[in-house]
Amino acid sequence: MPSDLRSQPFSILLTLGESTTWGMCATSEDRRWANVLARLISEFQGQAVRLINKGISANSISPRSPGYDASAKPSALERLEQDVLAHRPDLLVCSYGLNDMRCRMHPEEFREDLRTVVRTVRAHCEPVTVLTTVYHMTGWERYAPFDQGTPEATRVFNLVIAQVAEEEGAVLADIHAAEGGADWMIHPDGVHANDLGHRIIAHRVFEALAQRCSCLALTCERG
């Protein structure tokens, strides 16, 4: 029996991540995975959760990611205070690794930065924290400097993310496994999820949460 991380309804869901977190290539806002996830949580806990989506296109986890300068935007570590801590979420979904992997960030540097994100947020507001694995993609050769990733690098980054989740007591949502390598879940740009992909991502995150948070059964009969 897994430990129950949350028995009371969630109030604020904050999604922190890259362009797919923001909802790139979904055909409407309500088809973005963050919005689908918020609806599922609200339905099953019997109380609306407020969604704060802090996904940013081309975002990196820290300034030492090789794609940081090309991004020209504050990294996850640089925007924690304003974009996360100021909102005091009780549920955080952190989705990084795709861009950092694609620009060949060293996996151990990524591990250190991801761990810092989790620990910094936990020290301020102790949300239930979900870490997602790197998404499936097909357009490896596109969009320099984010054109240096490989399936093997994806495997390494996903292992690192799983290890950080276990070490830090976070929930792991294995999005890559949920997509199953199905190219038809990817938009023609080769990087972002299409509507089906967004739906699968949302359901895998919800599945991972449902296994660890009894609040998501508040509207259900239970044995």
Side-chain angles (χ1 to χ4, degrees):
M1 178 71 68
S3 58
D4 185 0
L5 299 180
R6 180 88 178 182
S7 59
Q8 299 300 312
F10 292 110
S11 297
I12 299 175
L13 160 63
L14 194 145
T15 54
L16 179 71
E18 308 152 329
S19 53
T20 300
T21 301
W22 177 79
M24 187 72 74
C25 294
T27 56
S28 63
E29 184 174 350
D30 69 344
R31 291 192 170 192
R32 299 173 181 178
W33 73 253
N35 296 74
V36 175
L37 176 62
R39 290 198 300 274
L40 286 166
I41 291 170
S42 298
E43 176 185 355
F44 281 90
Q45 70 178 11
Q47 177 176 312
V49 67
R50 177 188 173 200
L51 170 63
I52 301 175
N53 189 333
K54 292 296 181 177
I56 295 181
S57 179
N59 209 216
S60 298
I61 196 166
S62 82
R64 60 179 171 174
S65 178
Y68 175 75
D69 289 339
S71 171
K73 299 164 187 171
S75 67
L77 285 179
E78 293 173 306
R79 59 195 186 95
L80 279 182
E81 181 69 38
Q82 178 177 341
D83 283 0
V84 181
L85 305 184
H87 298 286
R88 300 189 65 82
D90 46 27
L91 175 56
L92 170 68
V93 182
C94 181
S95 187
Y96 276 90
L98 180 66
N99 290 337
D100 303 302
M101 177 275 296
R102 292 168 61 212
C103 66
R104 201 171 291 181
M105 184 178 188
H106 195 287
E108 291 308 311
E109 292 184 345
F110 177 79
R111 181 196 303 274
E112 293 170 3
D113 291 338
L114 182 60
R115 185 184 293 127
T116 298
V117 168
V118 173
R119 291 181 177 179
T120 301
V121 175
R122 184 173 61 207
H124 284 78
C125 51
E126 298 187 357
V128 172
T129 300
V130 180
L131 302 183
T132 71
T133 55
V134 172
Y135 311 107
H136 173 58
M137 60 169 289
T138 59
W140 300 105
E141 75 289 352
R142 306 177 194 175
Y143 316 115
F146 302 104
D147 59 348
Q148 302 176 61
T150 64
E152 174 61 19
T154 299
R155 187 194 68 79
V156 172
F157 267 67
N158 284 346
L159 177 60
V160 167
I161 293 167
Q163 290 171 341
V164 172
E166 182 175 6
E167 294 162 3
E168 300 300 325
V171 176
L172 178 68
D174 193 345
I175 287 169
H176 195 271
E179 292 172 308
D183 293 349
W184 52 88
M185 295 188 190
I186 309 303
H187 185 269
D189 71 3
V191 176
H192 301 98
N194 59 22
D195 283 348
L196 175 60
H198 275 277
R199 185 64 57 93
I200 293 299
I201 292 165
H203 279 259
R204 177 50 60 98
V205 177
F206 183 74
E207 172 190 290
L209 280 169
Q211 292 173 354
R212 300 297 303 277
C213 301
S214 66
C215 64
L216 297 179
L218 288 174
T219 63
C220 305
E221 294 184 358
R222 292 183 280 175

